[in-house]
Coordinates of all heavy atoms in Angstrom, one line a residue:
M1 N 8.2 24.3 13.8 CA 6.9 23.8 14.1 C 6.3 24.6 15.2 O 6.9 24.7 16.3 CB 7.1 22.3 14.5 CG 5.9 21.7 15.0 SD 5.9 19.9 15.2 CE 7.5 19.6 16.1
T2 N 5.2 25.3 14.9 CA 4.5 26.1 15.9 C 3.3 25.3 16.4 O 2.5 24.8 15.7 CB 4.0 27.4 15.3 OG1 5.1 28.1 14.7 CG2 3.4 28.3 16.3
T3 N 3.2 25.2 17.7 CA 2.0 24.5 18.3 C 1.2 25.5 19.1 O 1.7 26.5 19.7 CB 2.5 23.4 19.2 OG1 3.3 23.9 20.2 CG2 3.2 22.3 18.4
T4 N -0.1 25.2 19.2 CA -0.9 26.0 20.1 C -0.9 25.4 21.5 O -0.7 26.1 22.4 CB -2.4 25.9 19.5 OG1 -2.4 26.4 18.2 CG2 -3.3 26.7 20.4
I5 N -1.0 24.1 21.6 CA -1.0 23.4 22.9 C -0.2 22.1 22.8 O -0.3 21.4 21.8 CB -2.4 23.1 23.4 CG1 -3.2 24.4 23.5 CG2 -2.4 22.3 24.7 CD1 -4.7 24.1 23.8
T6 N 0.7 21.9 23.8 CA 1.4 20.6 23.9 C 1.2 20.1 25.3 O 1.6 20.9 26.3 CB 2.9 20.7 23.5 OG1 3.0 21.1 22.2 CG2 3.5 19.3 23.7
M7 N 0.8 18.9 25.5 CA 0.7 18.3 26.9 C 1.3 17.0 26.9 O 1.2 16.2 26.0 CB -0.8 18.2 27.3 CG -1.6 19.5 27.4 SD -3.3 19.2 27.8 CE -3.9 18.4 26.3
E8 N 2.1 16.7 28.0 CA 2.7 15.4 28.2 C 1.7 14.5 29.0 O 1.2 15.0 30.0 CB 4.0 15.5 28.9 CG 5.1 16.3 28.2 CD 5.6 15.6 26.9 OE1 5.5 14.4 26.9 OE2 6.0 16.3 26.0
T9 N 1.5 13.3 28.5 CA 0.6 12.4 29.2 C 1.3 11.0 29.4 O 2.3 10.8 28.6 CB -0.7 12.2 28.5 OG1 -0.5 11.3 27.3 CG2 -1.4 13.5 28.1
P10 N 0.9 10.2 30.2 CA 1.5 8.8 30.3 C 1.4 8.1 29.0 O 2.3 7.2 28.7 CB 0.7 8.1 31.4 CG 0.1 9.2 32.2 CD -0.1 10.4 31.3
S11 N 0.5 8.4 28.1 CA 0.3 7.7 26.8 C 1.1 8.3 25.7 O 1.2 7.7 24.6 CB -1.2 7.6 26.5 OG -1.9 6.9 27.4
G12 N 1.7 9.5 26.0 CA 2.4 10.2 24.9 C 1.9 11.7 24.9 O 1.1 12.1 25.6
R13 N 2.5 12.4 24.0 CA 2.2 13.8 23.9 C 0.9 14.0 23.2 O 0.5 13.3 22.2 CB 3.3 14.6 23.1 CG 4.6 14.6 23.8 CD 5.6 15.5 23.1 NE 5.9 14.9 21.8 CZ 6.2 15.6 20.7 NH1 6.2 16.8 20.7 NH2 6.5 14.9 19.6
V14 N 0.1 15.0 23.6 CA -1.1 15.5 23.0 C -0.7 16.9 22.4 O -0.3 17.8 23.1 CB -2.3 15.6 23.9 CG1 -3.5 16.2 23.2 CG2 -2.6 14.2 24.5
I15 N -0.9 17.0 21.1 CA -0.5 18.3 20.4 C -1.7 18.8 19.6 O -2.3 18.1 18.9 CB 0.7 18.0 19.4 CG1 1.9 17.4 20.2 CG2 1.1 19.3 18.8 CD1 2.9 16.9 19.3
I16 N -1.9 20.1 19.8 CA -3.0 20.8 19.0 C -2.2 21.9 18.2 O -1.7 22.8 18.8 CB -4.1 21.4 19.8 CG1 -4.7 20.2 20.6 CG2 -5.1 22.1 18.9 CD1 -5.8 20.7 21.6
F17 N -2.2 21.8 16.9 CA -1.5 22.8 16.1 C -2.4 23.9 15.8 O -3.6 23.8 15.7 CB -1.0 22.2 14.8 CG 0.2 21.2 15.0 CD1 0.0 19.8 14.8 CD2 1.4 21.7 15.4 CE1 1.0 19.0 15.0 CE2 2.5 20.8 15.6 CZ 2.3 19.5 15.4
N18 N -1.8 25.1 15.5 CA -2.6 26.4 15.4 C -3.3 26.6 14.1 O -4.0 27.6 13.9 CB -1.6 27.5 15.6 CG -0.5 27.5 14.6 OD1 -0.6 26.9 13.6 ND2 0.5 28.4 14.8
G19 N -3.2 25.7 13.1 CA -4.0 25.9 11.9 C -3.2 26.6 10.7 O -3.8 26.8 9.7
E20 N -2.0 27.0 11.0 CA -1.1 27.5 9.9 C -0.6 26.4 9.0 O -0.6 25.2 9.4 CB 0.0 28.3 10.5 CG -0.4 29.5 11.3 CD 0.8 30.2 11.9 OE1 2.0 29.9 11.5 OE2 0.6 31.2 12.6
S21 N -0.2 26.7 7.8 CA 0.3 25.7 6.9 C 1.8 25.4 7.3 O 2.6 26.3 7.3 CB 0.3 26.2 5.5 OG -1.0 26.4 5.0
E22 N 2.0 24.2 7.7 CA 3.3 23.9 8.3 C 3.7 22.4 8.0 O 2.9 21.6 7.5 CB 3.3 24.0 9.8 CG 3.0 25.3 10.3 CD 2.8 25.4 11.8 OE1 2.1 24.5 12.4 OE2 3.4 26.3 12.4
T23 N 5.0 22.1 8.2 CA 5.5 20.7 8.2 C 5.6 20.2 9.6 O 6.2 20.8 10.4 CB 6.8 20.6 7.4 OG1 6.6 21.1 6.1 CG2 7.4 19.2 7.4
H24 N 5.0 19.0 9.8 CA 5.0 18.4 11.2 C 5.8 17.1 11.1 O 5.4 16.2 10.3 CB 3.6 18.2 11.7 CG 2.7 19.4 11.6 ND1 3.0 20.5 12.4 CD2 1.6 19.6 10.9 CE1 2.0 21.4 12.1 NE2 1.2 20.8 11.2
R25 N 6.9 17.0 11.8 CA 7.6 15.7 11.9 C 7.2 14.9 13.1 O 7.4 15.3 14.2 CB 9.1 16.0 11.9 CG 10.0 14.8 11.8 CD 11.5 15.1 11.8 NE 12.3 14.0 11.7 CZ 12.6 13.3 10.6 NH1 12.1 13.8 9.4 NH2 13.4 12.3 10.6
L26 N 6.5 13.8 12.8 CA 6.0 12.9 13.9 C 7.1 11.9 14.3 O 7.5 11.1 13.4 CB 4.7 12.3 13.5 CG 3.6 13.3 13.1 CD1 2.4 12.6 12.7 CD2 3.4 14.3 14.1
D27 N 7.5 11.8 15.5 CA 8.6 10.9 15.9 C 8.2 9.7 16.7 O 9.0 9.0 17.2 CB 9.6 11.7 16.7 CG 9.1 12.3 18.0 OD1 8.0 12.0 18.4 OD2 9.8 13.2 18.5
G28 N 6.9 9.5 16.9 CA 6.4 8.3 17.6 C 6.1 8.5 19.0 O 5.6 7.6 19.7
T29 N 6.4 9.7 19.5 CA 6.1 10.0 20.9 C 4.7 10.6 21.1 O 4.3 10.9 22.3 CB 7.1 11.0 21.5 OG1 7.1 12.2 20.8 CG2 8.5 10.4 21.4
E30 N 4.0 10.9 20.0 CA 2.7 11.5 20.1 C 1.6 10.5 20.4 O 1.6 9.4 19.8 CB 2.3 12.2 18.8 CG 3.4 13.1 18.3 CD 4.5 12.4 17.5 OE1 4.3 11.2 17.2 OE2 5.5 13.0 17.1
A31 N 0.6 10.8 21.2 CA -0.6 10.0 21.3 C -1.8 10.6 20.5 O -2.5 9.8 19.9 CB -1.0 9.9 22.8
V32 N -1.9 11.9 20.5 CA -3.0 12.6 19.8 C -2.4 13.8 19.2 O -1.7 14.6 19.8 CB -4.1 13.0 20.8 CG1 -5.2 13.7 20.0 CG2 -4.7 11.8 21.5
V33 N -2.7 14.0 17.9 CA -2.3 15.2 17.1 C -3.5 15.7 16.5 O -4.2 15.0 15.7 CB -1.2 14.8 16.0 CG1 -0.9 16.1 15.2 CG2 0.0 14.2 16.7
I34 N -3.8 17.0 16.7 CA -5.0 17.7 16.1 C -4.5 18.9 15.4 O -3.7 19.7 16.0 CB -6.0 18.0 17.2 CG1 -6.5 16.8 17.9 CG2 -7.2 18.8 16.5 CD1 -7.4 17.0 19.1
D35 N -4.9 19.1 14.1 CA -4.6 20.3 13.4 C -5.9 20.9 13.0 O -6.7 20.3 12.3 CB -3.7 20.1 12.2 CG -3.2 21.4 11.6 OD1 -2.2 22.0 12.2 OD2 -3.8 21.9 10.7
I36 N -6.1 22.2 13.2 CA -7.4 22.8 13.0 C -7.5 23.4 11.6 O -8.6 23.8 11.1 CB -7.7 23.9 14.0 CG1 -6.7 25.0 14.0 CG2 -7.9 23.3 15.4 CD1 -7.0 26.2 14.9
G37 N -6.4 23.4 10.8 CA -6.5 23.9 9.4 C -5.1 24.1 8.8 O -4.1 23.8 9.4
G38 N -5.1 24.6 7.6 CA -3.8 24.9 6.9 C -3.5 23.7 6.0 O -3.9 22.6 6.2
D39 N -2.6 24.0 5.0 CA -2.1 23.0 4.1 C -0.8 22.4 4.7 O 0.2 23.0 4.6 CB -1.9 23.6 2.7 CG -3.1 24.1 2.1 OD1 -4.2 23.7 2.4 OD2 -3.0 25.0 1.2
D40 N -0.9 21.3 5.4 CA 0.2 20.8 6.2 C 0.8 19.6 5.5 O 0.2 18.9 4.7 CB -0.3 20.3 7.5 CG -0.9 21.5 8.3 OD1 -0.2 22.4 8.6 OD2 -2.2 21.5 8.5
T41 N 2.1 19.3 5.8 CA 2.8 18.1 5.5 C 3.2 17.4 6.8 O 3.7 18.0 7.7 CB 4.1 18.5 4.7 OG1 3.7 19.1 3.5 CG2 4.9 17.2 4.4
Y42 N 2.8 16.1 6.8 CA 3.1 15.3 8.0 C 4.2 14.3 7.6 O 4.0 13.5 6.6 CB 1.9 14.5 8.5 CG 0.8 15.4 9.0 CD1 -0.2 15.9 8.2 CD2 0.8 15.9 10.3 CE1 -1.2 16.7 8.6 CE2 -0.2 16.7 10.8 CZ -1.2 17.1 10.0 OH -2.2 18.0 10.4
L43 N 5.3 14.4 8.3 CA 6.4 13.4 8.0 C 6.4 12.4 9.1 O 6.7 12.7 10.3 CB 7.8 14.2 8.0 CG 7.9 15.3 6.9 CD1 9.3 16.0 7.1 CD2 7.7 14.7 5.5
F44 N 6.2 11.1 8.8 CA 6.2 10.1 9.8 C 7.6 9.5 9.8 O 8.0 8.8 9.0 CB 5.2 9.0 9.4 CG 3.8 9.5 9.4 CD1 3.2 10.2 8.4 CD2 3.0 9.2 10.6 CE1 1.9 10.6 8.4 CE2 1.7 9.7 10.6 CZ 1.1 10.4 9.6
A45 N 8.3 9.9 10.9 CA 9.8 9.6 11.0 C 10.0 8.2 11.4 O 11.1 7.7 11.2 CB 10.4 10.6 11.9
T46 N 9.1 7.6 12.1 CA 9.3 6.3 12.6 C 8.0 5.6 12.9 O 7.0 6.3 13.1 CB 10.1 6.3 13.9 OG1 10.4 4.9 14.4 CG2 9.4 7.0 15.1
N47 N 7.9 4.3 12.9 CA 6.7 3.6 13.3 C 6.6 3.7 14.8 O 7.6 3.9 15.5 CB 6.8 2.1 12.9 CG 6.5 1.9 11.4 OD1 6.0 2.8 10.8 ND2 6.8 0.7 10.9
L48 N 5.4 3.4 15.3 CA 5.2 3.5 16.7 C 5.8 2.3 17.4 O 5.8 1.2 16.9 CB 3.6 3.4 17.0 CG 2.9 4.7 16.6 CD1 1.4 4.4 16.8 CD2 3.3 5.9 17.3
P49 N 6.3 2.5 18.6 CA 6.8 1.3 19.4 C 5.6 0.4 19.7 O 4.5 0.8 19.8 CB 7.4 2.0 20.7 CG 7.5 3.4 20.3 CD 6.5 3.7 19.3
A50 N 5.9 -0.9 20.0 CA 4.9 -1.9 20.4 C 4.2 -1.4 21.6 O 4.7 -0.8 22.5 CB 5.6 -3.2 20.6
G51 N 2.8 -1.6 21.6 CA 2.0 -1.2 22.7 C 1.5 0.2 22.7 O 0.8 0.7 23.6
R52 N 1.9 1.0 21.7 CA 1.5 2.5 21.7 C 0.4 2.7 20.7 O 0.1 1.8 19.8 CB 2.7 3.3 21.2 CG 3.9 3.3 22.1 CD 3.7 4.1 23.4 NE 3.3 5.5 23.2 CZ 4.1 6.5 23.1 NH1 5.4 6.4 23.2 NH2 3.6 7.7 22.9
A53 N -0.3 3.8 20.8 CA -1.3 4.2 19.8 C -1.2 5.7 19.5 O -0.7 6.5 20.4 CB -2.7 3.9 20.4
R54 N -1.6 6.0 18.3 CA -1.6 7.5 17.9 C -2.8 7.7 17.0 O -3.1 6.9 16.2 CB -0.3 7.8 17.2 CG -0.3 9.2 16.6 CD 1.1 9.7 16.1 NE 1.6 8.7 15.1 CZ 2.9 8.7 14.8 NH1 3.8 9.4 15.3 NH2 3.3 7.8 13.8
V55 N -3.4 8.9 17.3 CA -4.5 9.3 16.5 C -4.2 10.7 15.9 O -3.8 11.6 16.7 CB -5.9 9.4 17.3 CG1 -7.0 10.0 16.4 CG2 -6.2 8.0 17.8
L56 N -4.2 10.9 14.6 CA -4.0 12.2 14.0 C -5.3 12.6 13.4 O -5.9 11.9 12.6 CB -2.9 12.0 12.9 CG -2.4 13.3 12.2 CD1 -1.0 13.0 11.6 CD2 -3.3 13.8 11.2
I57 N -5.7 13.8 13.8 CA -7.0 14.4 13.3 C -6.7 15.7 12.6 O -6.1 16.6 13.3 CB -8.0 14.6 14.4 CG1 -8.3 13.3 15.1 CG2 -9.3 15.2 13.9 CD1 -9.1 13.4 16.4
D58 N -7.0 15.9 11.3 CA -6.8 17.1 10.6 C -8.1 17.6 10.1 O -8.8 16.9 9.4 CB -5.8 16.9 9.4 CG -5.4 18.2 8.8 OD1 -6.2 18.8 8.1 OD2 -4.2 18.6 9.2
L59 N -8.5 18.8 10.5 CA -9.9 19.3 10.3 C -10.1 19.9 8.9 O -11.2 19.9 8.4 CB -10.3 20.2 11.4 CG -10.3 19.7 12.8 CD1 -10.7 20.7 13.8 CD2 -11.2 18.5 12.9
A60 N -9.0 20.5 8.3 CA -9.2 21.1 7.0 C -7.8 21.4 6.4 O -6.8 21.3 7.0 CB -9.9 22.5 7.2
G61 N -7.8 21.6 5.1 CA -6.6 21.9 4.3 C -6.2 20.8 3.4 O -6.7 19.7 3.5
N62 N -5.4 21.2 2.4 CA -4.9 20.2 1.4 C -3.5 19.7 2.0 O -2.5 20.4 1.9 CB -4.7 20.9 0.1 CG -6.0 21.4 -0.5 OD1 -7.0 20.8 -0.4 ND2 -5.9 22.5 -1.1
D63 N -3.6 18.5 2.5 CA -2.4 18.0 3.3 C -1.7 16.9 2.6 O -2.2 16.2 1.7 CB -2.9 17.5 4.7 CG -3.8 18.5 5.4 OD1 -3.2 19.6 5.6 OD2 -4.9 18.2 5.7
R64 N -0.4 16.7 3.0 CA 0.4 15.6 2.5 C 0.9 14.8 3.7 O 1.3 15.3 4.7 CB 1.7 16.2 1.8 CG 1.4 16.9 0.5 CD 2.7 17.3 -0.2 NE 3.5 16.2 -0.5 CZ 4.8 16.1 -0.3 NH1 5.4 17.0 0.3 NH2 5.4 15.0 -0.6
Y65 N 0.8 13.5 3.5 CA 1.2 12.5 4.5 C 2.3 11.7 3.9 O 2.1 11.0 2.9 CB 0.1 11.6 4.9 CG -1.1 12.4 5.5 CD1 -2.1 12.9 4.7 CD2 -1.1 12.6 6.9 CE1 -3.2 13.6 5.3 CE2 -2.2 13.3 7.5 CZ -3.2 13.8 6.6 OH -4.2 14.5 7.2
V66 N 3.6 11.9 4.4 CA 4.8 11.3 3.8 C 5.4 10.4 4.8 O 5.7 10.8 5.9 CB 5.8 12.4 3.4 CG1 7.0 11.8 2.7 CG2 5.1 13.4 2.4
C67 N 5.7 9.2 4.4 CA 6.3 8.2 5.2 C 7.8 8.1 5.0 O 8.2 7.8 3.9 CB 5.7 6.8 5.0 SG 4.0 6.7 5.3
V68 N 8.6 8.5 6.0 CA 10.0 8.4 6.0 C 10.3 7.0 6.5 O 11.3 6.4 6.1 CB 10.7 9.4 6.9 CG1 12.2 9.3 6.9 CG2 10.2 10.8 6.4
S69 N 9.5 6.4 7.3 CA 9.6 5.1 7.9 C 8.7 4.1 7.0 O 8.2 4.6 6.0 CB 9.2 5.0 9.3 OG 7.8 5.3 9.4
P70 N 8.6 2.9 7.4 CA 7.8 1.9 6.6 C 6.4 2.4 6.3 O 5.9 2.1 5.2 CB 7.7 0.7 7.4 CG 9.0 0.7 8.2 CD 9.3 2.2 8.5
G71 N 5.7 3.1 7.1 CA 4.4 3.6 6.7 C 3.5 4.3 7.7 O 3.5 3.9 8.9
A72 N 2.8 5.3 7.3 CA 1.8 6.0 8.2 C 0.6 5.0 8.4 O 0.2 4.4 7.4 CB 1.4 7.3 7.5
A73 N 0.1 5.0 9.6 CA -1.0 4.1 9.9 C -0.7 2.7 9.8 O -1.6 1.8 9.7 CB -2.3 4.5 9.2
S74 N 0.6 2.3 9.7 CA 1.0 0.9 9.7 C 1.4 0.6 11.2 O 1.9 1.5 11.8 CB 2.1 0.6 8.7 OG 3.3 1.2 9.2
A75 N 1.2 -0.6 11.6 CA 1.4 -0.9 13.0 C 1.8 -2.3 13.2 O 1.4 -3.2 12.5 CB 0.2 -0.6 13.8
F76 N 2.7 -2.6 14.1 CA 3.1 -3.9 14.6 C 3.0 -3.9 16.1 O 3.8 -3.3 16.7 CB 4.5 -4.3 14.1 CG 4.9 -5.7 14.5 CD1 4.4 -6.8 13.9 CD2 5.8 -5.9 15.6 CE1 4.7 -8.1 14.3 CE2 6.1 -7.1 16.0 CZ 5.6 -8.2 15.4
L77 N 1.9 -4.5 16.6 CA 1.6 -4.5 18.0 C 1.4 -3.1 18.5 O 1.7 -2.8 19.7 CB 2.8 -5.2 18.8 CG 3.0 -6.7 18.5 CD1 4.3 -7.2 19.3 CD2 1.8 -7.6 18.7
S78 N 0.9 -2.3 17.7 CA 0.5 -0.9 18.0 C -0.7 -0.5 17.1 O -1.1 -1.3 16.3 CB 1.7 0.1 17.9 OG 2.1 0.0 16.6
A79 N -1.2 0.7 17.3 CA -2.4 1.1 16.5 C -2.2 2.6 16.1 O -1.8 3.4 16.9 CB -3.7 0.9 17.3
E80 N -2.6 2.9 14.9 CA -2.5 4.3 14.4 C -3.7 4.6 13.5 O -4.1 3.7 12.7 CB -1.2 4.6 13.7 CG -1.1 6.0 13.3 CD 0.3 6.4 12.9 OE1 1.1 5.5 12.7 OE2 0.6 7.6 12.9
A81 N -4.3 5.8 13.7 CA -5.4 6.2 12.8 C -5.2 7.6 12.3 O -4.7 8.4 13.1 CB -6.7 6.1 13.5
I82 N -5.5 7.8 11.0 CA -5.4 9.2 10.5 C -6.9 9.5 10.1 O -7.5 8.8 9.3 CB -4.5 9.2 9.2 CG1 -3.1 8.9 9.6 CG2 -4.6 10.6 8.6 CD1 -2.2 8.7 8.4
I83 N -7.4 10.6 10.6 CA -8.7 11.1 10.3 C -8.6 12.5 9.7 O -8.2 13.4 10.4 CB -9.6 11.1 11.6 CG1 -9.6 9.7 12.2 CG2 -11.0 11.6 11.2 CD1 -10.1 9.7 13.6
D84 N -8.9 12.6 8.4 CA -8.8 13.9 7.7 C -10.1 14.3 7.2 O -10.7 13.6 6.4 CB -7.7 13.8 6.6 CG -7.4 15.1 6.1 OD1 -8.2 15.8 5.6 OD2 -6.2 15.4 6.1
F85 N -10.7 15.4 7.7 CA -12.1 15.7 7.4 C -12.3 16.4 6.1 O -13.4 16.4 5.5 CB -12.6 16.6 8.6 CG -13.0 15.7 9.8 CD1 -12.1 15.7 10.8 CD2 -14.2 15.1 9.8 CE1 -12.4 14.9 11.9 CE2 -14.5 14.3 10.9 CZ -13.6 14.2 12.0
A86 N -11.3 17.2 5.6 CA -11.5 18.0 4.4 C -10.3 18.3 3.6 O -9.2 18.2 4.2 CB -12.2 19.3 4.8
G87 N -10.4 18.6 2.4 CA -9.3 19.0 1.6 C -8.9 17.9 0.5 O -9.4 16.8 0.6
K88 N -8.1 18.3 -0.4 CA -7.5 17.4 -1.4 C -6.1 16.9 -0.8 O -5.2 17.7 -0.9 CB -7.4 18.1 -2.7 CG -6.9 17.2 -3.8 CD -6.8 17.9 -5.2 CE -6.2 16.9 -6.2 NZ -6.1 17.6 -7.5
D89 N -6.1 15.7 -0.3 CA -4.9 15.2 0.4 C -4.1 14.2 -0.5 O -4.6 13.6 -1.4 CB -5.3 14.6 1.7 CG -6.1 15.6 2.5 OD1 -5.7 16.7 2.7 OD2 -7.2 15.2 3.0
E90 N -2.8 14.1 -0.1 CA -1.9 13.2 -0.8 C -1.3 12.3 0.2 O -0.8 12.8 1.3 CB -0.8 14.0 -1.5 CG 0.2 13.2 -2.2 CD 1.3 14.1 -2.8 OE1 1.0 15.3 -3.1 OE2 2.4 13.6 -3.0
Y91 N -1.2 11.0 -0.1 CA -0.6 10.0 0.8 C 0.5 9.4 0.1 O 0.3 8.7 -0.9 CB -1.7 9.0 1.2 CG -2.8 9.6 2.0 CD1 -3.9 10.2 1.3 CD2 -2.8 9.7 3.4 CE1 -5.0 10.7 2.0 CE2 -3.9 10.2 4.1 CZ -4.9 10.8 3.4 OH -6.0 11.3 4.1
Q92 N 1.7 9.5 0.7 CA 2.9 8.9 0.1 C 3.4 7.8 1.1 O 3.9 8.1 2.1 CB 4.0 9.9 -0.2 CG 5.2 9.3 -0.8 CD 6.3 10.4 -1.0 OE1 6.0 11.5 -1.0 NE2 7.5 9.9 -1.1
G93 N 3.0 6.5 0.8 CA 3.3 5.4 1.7 C 4.7 4.8 1.6 O 5.3 5.0 0.6
G94 N 5.1 4.2 2.7 CA 6.3 3.4 2.7 C 6.0 2.0 2.4 O 4.9 1.6 1.9
D95 N 6.9 1.1 2.7 CA 6.8 -0.3 2.4 C 5.7 -1.0 3.1 O 5.2 -2.0 2.6 CB 8.2 -1.0 2.7 CG 9.3 -0.5 1.9 OD1 9.0 0.0 0.7 OD2 10.5 -0.7 2.3
S96 N 5.3 -0.6 4.3 CA 4.3 -1.3 5.1 C 2.9 -0.6 5.0 O 2.0 -1.0 5.8 CB 4.8 -1.4 6.5 OG 6.0 -2.1 6.6
S97 N 2.7 0.4 4.2 CA 1.4 1.1 4.2 C 0.3 0.3 3.5 O 0.6 -0.5 2.7 CB 1.6 2.4 3.4 OG 2.3 3.3 4.1

């Protein structure tokens, strides 16, 4: 996983990916994830802990969103949003999607 910028904040990590086609494993410690392009695969390894929020913004590319855990953008006492601006994308949900 190659990143352009990673910052630690009290709310979680802020990550800006470089736009190459990559696989990104999200582990629930991220607060904001931004990818500027590329055909990416996002693996949601776990649901967010209670009281946390995550926003994933993907600007371009044909992306795949795969839930290893119950579900991307599913939440229990937390909040998650996926904003994908362009591309032909595929969403593979888990039990709670």
Side-chain angles (χ1 to χ4, degrees):
M1 174 168 46
T2 304
T3 58
T4 301
I5 298 171
T6 300
M7 296 178 292
E8 298 291 334
T9 73
S11 298
R13 292 185 297 146
V14 175
I15 304 169
I16 302 174
F17 291 110
N18 61 11
E20 296 178 7
S21 296
E22 299 175 311
T23 296
H24 309 296
R25 186 174 179 86
L26 305 180
D27 61 13
T29 62
E30 311 84 8
V32 177
V33 177
I34 300 171
D35 188 82
I36 59 174
D39 298 337
D40 300 295
T41 298
Y42 295 95
L43 301 176
F44 293 82
T46 183
N47 281 348
L48 293 176
R52 297 288 305 267
R54 175 170 53 201
V55 176
L56 189 157
I57 302 169
D58 191 282
L59 300 179
N62 299 323
D63 306 305
R64 291 183 64 228
Y65 299 89
V66 180
C67 300
V68 179
S69 69
S74 69
F76 180 74
L77 301 175
S78 58
E80 182 163 20
I82 299 172
I83 304 164
D84 192 302
F85 285 97
K88 182 176 178 184
D89 303 311
E90 176 184 334
Y91 299 84
Q92 180 180 342
D95 295 337
S96 300
S97 290

